[in-house]
Coordinates of all heavy atoms in Angstrom, one line a residue:
M399 N 78.4 79.5 99.9 CA 79.7 79.2 99.2 C 79.9 77.7 99.3 O 79.1 76.9 99.5 CB 80.8 80.0 99.8 CG 80.9 81.4 99.2 SD 82.5 82.0 99.5 CE 82.8 82.7 97.9
G400 N 81.2 77.3 99.2 CA 81.6 75.9 99.1 C 82.0 75.3 100.4 O 81.8 75.9 101.5
R401 N 82.6 74.2 100.3 CA 83.1 73.5 101.5 C 84.5 74.1 101.9 O 85.1 74.9 101.2 CB 83.2 72.0 101.2 CG 81.9 71.4 101.0 CD 82.1 70.0 100.6 NE 82.4 70.0 99.2 CZ 82.4 69.0 98.4 NH1 82.0 67.8 98.8 NH2 82.7 69.1 97.1
V402 N 85.1 73.5 103.0 CA 86.4 74.0 103.5 C 87.4 73.8 102.3 O 87.4 72.8 101.6 CB 86.8 73.1 104.7 CG1 88.3 73.4 105.0 CG2 85.9 73.4 105.8
G403 N 88.2 74.9 102.1 CA 89.2 74.8 101.1 C 88.8 75.4 99.8 O 89.7 75.6 98.9
D404 N 87.5 75.6 99.5 CA 87.1 76.2 98.2 C 87.6 77.6 98.2 O 87.5 78.4 99.2 CB 85.6 76.2 98.1 CG 85.0 74.8 98.0 OD1 85.7 73.9 97.8 OD2 83.8 74.7 98.1
F405 N 88.1 78.0 97.1 CA 88.5 79.4 96.9 C 88.3 79.9 95.5 O 88.4 79.1 94.6 CB 89.8 79.8 97.5 CG 91.0 79.2 96.8 CD1 91.7 80.0 95.8 CD2 91.5 78.0 97.1 CE1 92.8 79.5 95.2 CE2 92.6 77.5 96.4 CZ 93.3 78.3 95.5
F406 N 88.1 81.2 95.4 CA 87.8 81.8 94.1 C 88.6 83.0 93.9 O 88.7 83.8 94.8 CB 86.3 82.1 94.0 CG 85.4 81.0 94.4 CD1 85.0 80.8 95.8 CD2 85.0 80.0 93.5 CE1 84.2 79.8 96.2 CE2 84.3 78.9 93.9 CZ 83.9 78.8 95.2
V407 N 89.2 83.2 92.8 CA 90.0 84.4 92.5 C 89.3 85.3 91.5 O 88.9 84.9 90.5 CB 91.4 84.1 92.0 CG1 92.2 85.3 91.7 CG2 92.1 83.1 93.0
R408 N 89.0 86.5 91.9 CA 88.4 87.6 91.0 C 89.3 88.8 91.1 O 89.4 89.4 92.2 CB 87.0 87.9 91.5 CG 86.0 86.7 91.3 CD 85.7 86.5 89.8 NE 84.8 85.4 89.7 CZ 85.1 84.2 89.4 NH1 86.3 83.8 89.2 NH2 84.1 83.3 89.3
A409 N 90.0 89.1 90.1 CA 90.9 90.2 90.1 C 92.0 90.0 91.2 O 92.7 89.1 91.2 CB 90.2 91.6 90.2
T410 N 92.0 90.9 92.2 CA 92.9 90.7 93.3 C 92.3 90.4 94.6 O 92.8 90.5 95.7 CB 93.7 92.0 93.5 OG1 92.8 93.1 93.8 CG2 94.6 92.4 92.3
L411 N 91.1 89.8 94.5 CA 90.4 89.4 95.7 C 90.4 87.9 95.8 O 90.0 87.2 94.8 CB 88.9 89.9 95.7 CG 88.1 89.5 96.9 CD1 88.5 90.2 98.2 CD2 86.6 89.8 96.7
L412 N 90.7 87.3 97.0 CA 90.7 85.9 97.2 C 89.7 85.6 98.2 O 89.7 86.2 99.3 CB 92.1 85.4 97.6 CG 92.2 84.0 98.0 CD1 92.1 83.1 96.8 CD2 93.5 83.7 98.7
A413 N 88.7 84.7 98.0 CA 87.7 84.4 98.9 C 87.8 82.9 99.2 O 88.0 82.1 98.3 CB 86.3 84.7 98.4
I414 N 87.8 82.5 100.5 CA 87.8 81.1 100.9 C 86.6 80.8 101.8 O 86.3 81.5 102.7 CB 89.1 80.8 101.7 CG1 90.3 81.2 100.8 CG2 89.2 79.4 102.1 CD1 91.7 81.0 101.4
A415 N 86.0 79.7 101.5 CA 84.8 79.3 102.3 C 85.2 78.2 103.3 O 86.0 77.3 103.0 CB 83.7 78.7 101.3
F416 N 84.7 78.3 104.5 CA 84.9 77.3 105.5 C 83.6 77.0 106.2 O 83.0 77.8 106.9 CB 85.8 77.9 106.6 CG 87.2 78.0 106.1 CD1 87.7 79.2 105.6 CD2 88.1 76.9 106.2 CE1 89.0 79.3 105.1 CE2 89.4 77.1 105.8 CZ 89.8 78.2 105.2
G417 N 83.1 75.8 105.9 CA 81.9 75.3 106.5 C 80.7 76.2 106.5 O 80.0 76.4 107.5
G418 N 80.4 76.9 105.4 CA 79.3 77.8 105.3 C 79.6 79.2 105.6 O 78.8 80.1 105.3
T419 N 80.8 79.5 106.1 CA 81.2 80.9 106.3 C 82.3 81.2 105.3 O 82.9 80.3 104.8 CB 81.6 81.2 107.7 OG1 82.7 80.4 108.0 CG2 80.5 81.0 108.7
A420 N 82.7 82.4 105.1 CA 83.7 82.7 104.2 C 84.5 83.9 104.7 O 84.0 84.8 105.4 CB 83.1 83.0 102.8
A421 N 85.8 84.0 104.2 CA 86.6 85.2 104.5 C 87.3 85.6 103.2 O 87.3 84.8 102.2 CB 87.7 84.8 105.5
A422 N 87.7 86.8 103.1 CA 88.3 87.3 101.9 C 89.6 88.1 102.2 O 89.7 88.6 103.3 CB 87.3 88.2 101.1
A423 N 90.5 88.2 101.2 CA 91.7 88.9 101.4 C 92.0 89.6 100.1 O 91.7 89.0 99.0 CB 92.8 88.1 101.9
V424 N 92.7 90.7 100.1 CA 93.2 91.3 98.9 C 94.6 90.6 98.6 O 95.4 90.5 99.5 CB 93.4 92.8 99.1 CG1 94.1 93.4 97.9 CG2 92.1 93.5 99.4
A425 N 94.7 90.1 97.5 CA 95.9 89.3 97.1 C 96.8 90.3 96.4 O 96.6 91.4 96.2 CB 95.5 88.2 96.2
G426 N 98.0 89.7 95.9 CA 98.9 90.5 95.1 C 98.4 91.1 93.9 O 97.3 90.7 93.4
R427 N 99.1 92.0 93.3 CA 98.6 92.7 92.1 C 98.2 91.8 91.0 O 97.3 92.0 90.2 CB 99.6 93.7 91.6 CG 99.1 94.5 90.5 CD 99.9 95.7 90.1 NE 101.2 95.9 90.5 CZ 102.2 96.5 89.8 NH1 101.9 97.0 88.6 NH2 103.4 96.6 90.2
N428 N 98.9 90.7 90.8 CA 98.7 89.7 89.7 C 97.9 88.5 90.2 O 98.0 87.4 89.7 CB 100.0 89.3 89.1 CG 100.6 90.5 88.4 OD1 100.0 91.3 87.8 ND2 101.9 90.6 88.6
G429 N 97.2 88.6 91.3 CA 96.5 87.5 91.9 C 97.2 87.0 93.1 O 98.1 87.7 93.6
P430 N 96.8 85.9 93.7 CA 97.4 85.4 95.0 C 98.8 85.0 94.8 O 99.2 84.5 93.7 CB 96.5 84.2 95.4 CG 95.9 83.8 94.1 CD 95.8 85.0 93.2
D431 N 99.6 85.2 95.8 CA 101.0 84.8 95.8 C 101.0 83.3 96.3 O 100.5 83.0 97.4 CB 101.9 85.6 96.7 CG 102.0 87.0 96.3 OD1 102.0 87.2 95.0 OD2 102.1 87.9 97.1
L432 N 101.6 82.4 95.5 CA 101.7 81.0 95.8 C 103.1 80.5 95.8 O 103.9 81.0 95.0 CB 100.9 80.2 94.7 CG 99.4 80.6 94.6 CD1 98.8 80.0 93.3 CD2 98.6 80.2 95.8
A433 N 103.4 79.5 96.6 CA 104.7 78.8 96.6 C 104.5 77.3 96.3 O 103.6 76.7 96.9 CB 105.4 79.0 98.0
R434 N 105.3 76.8 95.4 CA 105.2 75.4 95.1 C 105.5 74.5 96.3 O 106.3 74.8 97.1 CB 106.1 75.0 94.0 CG 105.8 75.7 92.6 CD 104.5 75.3 92.0 NE 104.5 73.9 91.6 CZ 103.4 73.2 91.2 NH1 102.2 73.8 91.2 NH2 103.4 72.0 90.8
G435 N 104.8 73.4 96.4 CA 105.0 72.4 97.5 C 104.9 71.0 96.9 O 104.5 70.8 95.8
K436 N 105.4 70.0 97.7 CA 105.4 68.7 97.3 C 105.3 67.7 98.5 O 106.0 68.0 99.5 CB 106.6 68.4 96.4 CG 106.7 67.1 95.7 CD 107.8 67.2 94.7 CE 108.9 66.2 95.0 NZ 109.9 66.1 94.0
N437 N 104.5 66.7 98.4 CA 104.5 65.6 99.4 C 104.3 66.2 100.9 O 104.9 65.7 101.8 CB 105.7 64.8 99.4 CG 105.9 64.1 98.0 OD1 104.9 63.6 97.5 ND2 107.1 64.1 97.5
G438 N 103.4 67.2 101.0 CA 103.1 67.6 102.4 C 103.9 68.8 102.9 O 103.6 69.3 104.0
S439 N 104.8 69.3 102.1 CA 105.6 70.5 102.6 C 104.7 71.8 102.5 O 103.9 71.9 101.6 CB 106.8 70.7 101.7 OG 106.5 71.0 100.4
I440 N 104.9 72.7 103.5 CA 104.2 73.9 103.5 C 105.3 75.0 103.7 O 106.1 75.0 104.6 CB 103.2 74.0 104.7 CG1 102.2 72.9 104.6 CG2 102.6 75.4 104.8 CD1 101.3 72.7 105.8
D441 N 105.3 76.0 102.7 CA 106.2 77.1 102.8 C 106.2 77.8 104.1 O 105.1 78.1 104.6 CB 106.0 78.0 101.6 CG 107.1 79.0 101.4 OD1 107.1 80.0 102.1 OD2 107.9 78.8 100.5
R442 N 107.3 78.2 104.6 CA 107.3 78.9 105.9 C 106.6 80.3 105.9 O 106.3 80.8 106.9 CB 108.8 79.1 106.4 CG 109.6 79.9 105.5 CD 111.0 80.1 106.1 NE 111.9 80.9 105.2 CZ 111.8 82.2 105.1 NH1 111.0 82.8 105.8 NH2 112.6 82.8 104.3
R443 N 106.4 80.8 104.6 CA 105.8 82.1 104.5 C 104.2 82.0 104.5 O 103.5 83.0 104.5 CB 106.2 82.8 103.2 CG 107.7 83.1 103.2 CD 108.1 83.6 101.8 NE 108.1 82.4 100.9 CZ 108.2 82.5 99.6 NH1 108.4 83.7 99.0 NH2 108.1 81.4 98.8
A444 N 103.7 80.8 104.5 CA 102.3 80.6 104.4 C 101.6 81.0 105.7 O 102.2 80.9 106.8 CB 102.0 79.1 104.2
T445 N 100.4 81.5 105.6 CA 99.7 82.0 106.8 C 98.4 81.1 106.9 O 97.7 81.0 105.9 CB 99.3 83.5 106.6 OG1 100.4 84.2 106.5 CG2 98.5 84.0 107.8
P446 N 98.1 80.6 108.1 CA 96.8 79.8 108.2 C 95.6 80.6 107.7 O 95.5 81.8 108.1 CB 96.7 79.4 109.6 CG 98.1 79.6 110.2 CD 98.8 80.7 109.3
V447 N 94.7 80.0 107.0 CA 93.4 80.7 106.6 C 92.3 80.2 107.5 O 91.1 80.6 107.3 CB 93.2 80.5 105.1 CG1 94.3 81.2 104.3 CG2 93.0 79.1 104.7
G448 N 92.5 79.2 108.3 CA 91.5 78.6 109.2 C 92.2 77.7 110.2 O 93.4 77.5 110.1
Y449 N 91.4 77.1 111.1 CA 92.0 76.2 112.1 C 91.1 75.0 112.3 O 89.8 75.1 112.2 CB 92.1 77.0 113.4 CG 93.1 78.1 113.3 CD1 92.7 79.4 112.9 CD2 94.5 77.8 113.5 CE1 93.6 80.4 112.8 CE2 95.4 78.9 113.4 CZ 95.0 80.1 113.0 OH 95.9 81.1 112.9
E450 N 91.7 73.9 112.6 CA 91.0 72.7 113.0 C 90.4 72.9 114.4 O 90.8 73.8 115.1 CB 91.9 71.4 112.9 CG 92.4 71.1 111.6 CD 91.4 70.3 110.7 OE1 90.2 70.3 111.1 OE2 91.8 69.8 109.7
A451 N 89.5 72.0 114.8 CA 89.0 72.1 116.2 C 90.0 72.1 117.2 O 89.9 72.7 118.3 CB 87.9 71.0 116.4
N452 N 91.2 71.4 117.0 CA 92.2 71.3 117.9 C 93.2 72.4 117.9 O 94.2 72.5 118.6 CB 93.0 69.9 117.8 CG 93.8 69.9 116.4 OD1 93.8 70.8 115.7 ND2 94.4 68.7 116.2
G453 N 92.9 73.4 117.0 CA 93.8 74.6 116.9 C 94.8 74.5 115.9 O 95.6 75.5 115.6
E454 N 95.0 73.4 115.2 CA 96.0 73.3 114.2 C 95.7 74.1 113.0 O 94.5 74.1 112.5 CB 96.2 71.8 113.8 CG 97.4 71.6 112.9 CD 97.7 70.1 112.7 OE1 96.9 69.3 113.0 OE2 98.8 69.8 112.2
G455 N 96.6 74.8 112.4 CA 96.4 75.7 111.3 C 96.0 74.9 110.0 O 96.6 73.9 109.7
L456 N 95.1 75.5 109.2 CA 94.8 75.0 107.8 C 95.3 76.1 106.8 O 95.1 77.3 107.1 CB 93.3 74.8 107.7 CG 92.7 73.6 108.3 CD1 91.2 73.6 108.2 CD2 93.2 72.3 107.6
Y457 N 95.9 75.6 105.8 CA 96.4 76.5 104.7 C 95.7 76.3 103.4 O 95.3 75.1 103.1 CB 97.9 76.3 104.6 CG 98.7 76.5 105.9 CD1 98.8 75.5 106.8 CD2 99.3 77.7 106.1 CE1 99.5 75.6 108.0 CE2 100.0 77.9 107.3 CZ 100.1 76.9 108.2 OH 100.7 77.1 109.4
A458 N 95.5 77.3 102.7 CA 94.9 77.2 101.3 C 95.9 76.7 100.3 O 97.1 77.2 100.4 CB 94.3 78.5 100.9
C459 N 95.5 75.8 99.4 CA 96.4 75.3 98.4 C 95.7 75.1 97.1 O 94.4 75.1 97.1 CB 97.1 74.1 98.9 SG 96.0 72.7 99.4
V460 N 96.4 74.9 96.1 CA 95.9 74.5 94.8 C 96.6 73.3 94.3 O 97.8 73.3 94.1 CB 96.1 75.6 93.7 CG1 95.4 75.2 92.4 CG2 95.5 76.9 94.2
G461 N 95.9 72.1 94.2 CA 96.5 70.9 93.9 C 96.4 70.5 92.4 O 95.5 70.8 91.7
D462 N 97.5 69.9 91.9 CA 97.6 69.5 90.5 C 97.0 68.0 90.5 O 97.6 67.1 91.1 CB 99.0 69.5 90.0 CG 99.6 70.9 90.1 OD1 98.9 71.8 89.8 OD2 100.8 71.0 90.4
F463 N 95.9 67.8 89.9 CA 95.3 66.5 89.9 C 94.4 66.3 88.7 O 93.7 67.2 88.2 CB 94.4 66.4 91.2 CG 93.7 65.1 91.4 CD1 94.5 64.0 91.9 CD2 92.4 64.9 91.0 CE1 93.9 62.8 92.1 CE2 91.8 63.6 91.2 CZ 92.5 62.6 91.8
N464 N 94.6 65.1 88.1 CA 93.7 64.7 86.9 C 93.7 65.8 85.8 O 92.7 66.2 85.3 CB 92.3 64.4 87.4 CG 91.6 63.5 86.4 OD1 92.2 62.8 85.6 ND2 90.3 63.5 86.4
S465 N 94.9 66.2 85.4 CA 95.1 67.2 84.4 C 94.5 68.6 84.7 O 94.2 69.3 83.7 CB 94.6 66.7 83.0 OG 95.3 65.5 82.7
G466 N 94.3 68.9 85.9 CA 93.7 70.2 86.3 C 94.3 70.7 87.6 O 95.1 70.0 88.3
R467 N 93.9 72.0 87.9 CA 94.4 72.6 89.2 C 93.1 72.8 90.0 O 92.1 73.4 89.5 CB 95.1 73.9 89.0 CG 96.3 73.7 88.1 CD 97.4 74.7 88.3 NE 98.0 74.4 89.6 CZ 98.7 75.4 90.3 NH1 98.8 76.6 89.8 NH2 99.2 75.1 91.4
H468 N 93.1 72.3 91.3 CA 91.9 72.3 92.1 C 92.2 73.0 93.5 O 93.2 72.7 94.1 CB 91.4 70.9 92.3 CG 91.2 70.2 91.0 ND1 90.1 70.2 90.3 CD2 92.1 69.4 90.3 CE1 90.2 69.5 89.2 NE2 91.4 69.0 89.2
P469 N 91.3 73.8 94.0 CA 91.5 74.4 95.3 C 91.4 73.3 96.4 O 90.6 72.3 96.3 CB 90.3 75.4 95.4 CG 89.3 74.8 94.5 CD 90.0 74.2 93.4
G470 N 92.1 73.5 97.5 CA 92.1 72.6 98.6 C 92.7 73.1 99.8 O 92.8 74.4 100.0
K471 N 93.0 72.2 100.7 CA 93.5 72.6 102.1 C 94.7 71.7 102.4 O 94.8 70.6 101.9 CB 92.4 72.4 103.1 CG 91.9 71.0 103.2 CD 90.8 70.8 104.2 CE 90.4 69.3 104.2 NZ 89.2 69.1 105.1
I472 N 95.6 72.2 103.2 CA 96.7 71.4 103.7 C 97.0 71.8 105.1 O 96.8 73.0 105.5 CB 97.9 71.6 102.7 CG1 99.0 70.6 103.1 CG2 98.4 73.1 102.7 CD1 100.1 70.5 102.0
R473 N 97.6 70.9 105.9 CA 98.1 71.1 107.2 C 99.3 70.2 107.4 O 99.5 69.3 106.6 CB 97.0 71.0 108.3 CG 96.5 69.6 108.4 CD 95.5 69.5 109.5 NE 94.9 68.1 109.5 CZ 94.5 67.6 110.6 NH1 94.4 68.2 111.7 NH2 94.0 66.3 110.5
P474 N 100.1 70.5 108.4 CA 101.4 69.7 108.6 C 101.2 68.2 108.5 O 102.1 67.5 108.0 CB 101.9 70.2 109.9 CG 101.4 71.6 110.0 CD 100.0 71.5 109.4
C475 N 100.2 67.6 109.0 CA 100.1 66.1 109.0 C 99.6 65.5 107.7 O 99.6 64.3 107.5 CB 99.3 65.6 110.2 SG 97.5 66.0 110.0
F476 N 99.2 66.4 106.7 CA 98.7 65.9 105.4 C 99.9 65.5 104.6 O 100.9 66.1 104.7 CB 97.8 66.9 104.7 CG 96.5 67.2 105.3 CD1 95.7 68.2 104.8 CD2 96.0 66.5 106.4 CE1 94.4 68.5 105.3 CE2 94.7 66.8 106.9 CZ 94.0 67.8 106.4
D477 N 99.7 64.6 103.6 CA 100.8 64.2 102.7 C 100.7 64.9 101.4 O 101.3 64.5 100.4 CB 101.0 62.7 102.6 CG 99.8 62.0 102.0 OD1 98.7 62.7 101.9 OD2 99.9 60.8 101.8
G478 N 99.8 65.9 101.3 CA 99.6 66.6 100.0 C 98.4 67.6 100.2 O 97.9 67.8 101.3
C479 N 98.1 68.3 99.2 CA 97.0 69.3 99.2 C 95.7 68.5 99.0 O 95.4 67.8 98.0 CB 97.2 70.2 98.0 SG 95.8 71.4 97.8
N480 N 94.8 68.4 100.0 CA 93.6 67.7 100.0 C 92.6 68.5 99.2 O 92.2 69.6 99.5 CB 93.1 67.4 101.4 CG 93.9 66.3 102.1 OD1 94.9 65.9 101.6 ND2 93.4 65.9 103.2
I481 N 92.1 67.8 98.1 CA 91.1 68.5 97.2 C 89.9 67.6 97.1 O 89.9 66.4 97.3 CB 91.7 68.7 95.8 CG1 92.1 67.3 95.2 CG2 92.9 69.6 95.9 CD1 92.2 67.4 93.7
G482 N 88.8 68.2 96.8 CA 87.5 67.5 96.5 C 87.4 67.3 95.0 O 87.6 68.2 94.2
Y483 N 87.2 66.0 94.6 CA 87.1 65.8 93.1 C 86.1 64.6 93.0 O 86.3 63.5 93.6 CB 88.4 65.4 92.6 CG 88.4 65.2 91.1 CD1 88.6 66.3 90.2 CD2 88.3 63.9 90.5 CE1 88.5 66.1 88.8 CE2 88.3 63.8 89.1 CZ 88.4 64.8 88.3 OH 88.4 64.7 87.0
G484 N 85.0 64.8 92.2 CA 84.1 63.7 91.9 C 83.4 63.2 93.2 O 83.1 62.0 93.3
G485 N 83.2 64.0 94.2 CA 82.5 63.6 95.4 C 83.4 62.9 96.4 O 83.0 62.5 97.4
K486 N 84.7 62.9 96.2 CA 85.7 62.3 97.1 C 86.8 63.2 97.4 O 87.0 64.2 96.7 CB 86.3 61.0 96.5 CG 85.3 59.9 96.2 CD 85.9 58.7 95.7 CE 84.8 57.6 95.4 NZ 85.4 56.4 94.9
E487 N 87.6 62.9 98.4 CA 88.8 63.8 98.7 C 90.0 63.0 98.4 O 90.2 61.9 98.7 CB 88.7 64.1 100.2 CG 89.8 65.2 100.6 CD 89.5 65.8 102.0 OE1 88.6 66.6 102.1 OE2 90.3 65.4 102.9
Y488 N 90.9 63.8 97.7 CA 92.2 63.2 97.3 C 93.4 64.1 97.8 O 93.2 65.3 97.9 CB 92.3 63.1 95.7 CG 91.3 62.2 95.1 CD1 90.0 62.7 94.7 CD2 91.5 60.8 95.0 CE1 89.1 61.8 94.2 CE2 90.6 60.0 94.4 CZ 89.4 60.5 94.0 OH 88.5 59.7 93.4
A489 N 94.5 63.5 98.0 CA 95.7 64.3 98.3 C 96.6 64.4 97.1 O 97.2 63.5 96.5 CB 96.5 63.6 99.4
A490 N 96.6 65.7 96.5 CA 97.5 66.0 95.4 C 98.9 66.1 95.9 O 99.2 66.9 96.8 CB 97.0 67.3 94.7
K491 N 99.8 65.4 95.3 CA 101.2 65.4 95.8 C 102.0 66.6 95.3 O 103.0 66.9 95.9 CB 101.9 64.1 95.3 CG 101.2 62.8 95.8 CD 101.2 62.7 97.3 CE 100.5 61.4 97.7 NZ 100.3 61.3 99.1
T492 N 101.6 67.2 94.2 CA 102.2 68.5 93.8 C 101.1 69.5 93.8 O 100.0 69.3 93.4 CB 102.8 68.4 92.4 OG1 101.8 68.0 91.4 CG2 103.9 67.3 92.3
Y493 N 101.5 70.7 94.3 CA 100.5 71.8 94.6 C 101.3 73.1 94.8 O 102.5 73.2 94.9 CB 99.7 71.4 95.8 CG 100.6 71.0 97.0 CD1 101.1 71.9 97.9 CD2 100.9 69.7 97.2 CE1 101.9 71.6 98.9 CE2 101.7 69.3 98.2 CZ 102.2 70.2 99.1 OH 103.1 69.9 100.1
S494 N 100.5 74.1 95.0 CA 101.0 75.4 95.4 C 100.2 75.8 96.7 O 99.0 75.6 96.8 CB 100.7 76.5 94.3 OG 101.5 76.1 93.2
V495 N 100.9 76.5 97.6 CA 100.3 77.0 98.9 C 100.2 78.5 98.9 O 101.2 79.2 98.4 CB 101.2 76.5 100.1 CG1 100.6 77.0 101.4 CG2 101.3 75.0 100.1
L496 N 99.1 79.0 99.3 CA 98.9 80.5 99.4 C 99.9 81.0 100.4 O 99.9 80.6 101.6 CB 97.5 80.8 99.8 CG 97.1 82.2 100.0 CD1 97.1 83.0 98.7 CD2 95.8 82.4 100.7
I497 N 100.6 82.0 100.0 CA 101.6 82.7 100.9 C 101.3 84.2 101.1 O 101.9 84.8 101.9 CB 103.0 82.5 100.5 CG1 103.3 83.1 99.1 CG2 103.5 81.1 100.6 CD1 104.8 83.2 98.7
S498 N 100.2 84.7 100.4 CA 99.9 86.1 100.6 C 99.2 86.2 102.0 O 98.3 85.5 102.3 CB 98.8 86.5 99.6 OG 99.4 86.6 98.3
G499 N 99.8 87.1 102.8 CA 99.1 87.4 104.1 C 97.8 88.0 103.9 O 96.8 87.5 104.4
G500 N 97.7 89.1 103.2 CA 96.5 89.8 102.9 C 95.8 90.3 104.2 O 96.4 90.2 105.3
N501 N 94.7 90.9 104.0 CA 93.9 91.5 105.1 C 92.6 90.7 105.2 O 91.7 91.0 104.4 CB 93.7 93.0 104.9 CG 92.9 93.6 106.0 OD1 92.9 93.1 107.1 ND2 92.1 94.7 105.7
W502 N 92.5 89.7 106.0 CA 91.4 88.7 106.0 C 90.2 89.4 106.8 O 90.4 89.8 107.9 CB 91.8 87.4 106.6 CG 92.8 86.7 105.8 CD1 94.1 86.7 105.9 CD2 92.4 85.9 104.7 NE1 94.7 85.9 104.9 CE2 93.7 85.4 104.1 CE3 91.3 85.5 104.1 CZ2 93.7 84.6 103.0 CZ3 91.3 84.6 103.0 CH2 92.5 84.2 102.5
V503 N 89.1 89.4 106.2 CA 87.8 89.9 106.8 C 86.7 88.9 106.4 O 86.7 88.3 105.4 CB 87.5 91.3 106.3 CG1 88.6 92.3 106.8 CG2 87.3 91.4 104.8
P504 N 85.7 88.8 107.3 CA 84.5 88.0 107.0 C 83.8 88.6 105.8 O 83.8 89.8 105.6 CB 83.6 88.1 108.2 CG 84.6 88.4 109.3 CD 85.7 89.3 108.7
M505 N 83.3 87.7 104.9 CA 82.7 88.2 103.7 C 81.4 89.0 103.9 O 81.0 89.8 103.1 CB 82.3 87.0 102.8 CG 83.5 86.3 102.2 SD 84.3 87.2 100.9 CE 83.1 87.0 99.6
N506 N 80.8 88.9 105.1 CA 79.6 89.7 105.3 C 79.9 91.1 105.8 O 79.0 91.8 106.2 CB 78.7 88.9 106.4 CG 79.4 88.7 107.7 OD1 80.5 89.1 107.9 ND2 78.7 88.1 108.6
Q507 N 81.1 91.5 105.9 CA 81.5 92.9 106.3 C 81.8 93.8 105.1 O 82.2 93.4 104.1 CB 82.7 92.9 107.2 CG 82.4 92.3 108.5 CD 83.6 92.4 109.5 OE1 84.6 92.9 109.1 NE2 83.4 92.0 110.7

């Protein structure tokens, strides 16, 4: 799969890749539940989908950047949704954060 923060929506399944491994969750009936964010804010209903080496939570987000919406990651010290674009990482200042808790399981199960 992809790098940290990549995610793909197929029907009601959300899959997120982290450094070569992946997890999946069943999302809401109409796809994943998202809450709008801006300038680094993370909705209190968001659930971490991964962790940094120091234990700080990483959250899945979709950033608005260059006339498109791109999957990314956010954590409290970021100033936006960090996305990969054109081989570089950018902080999208407007974005949506995944708030569906779901039932997370490794993709190989």
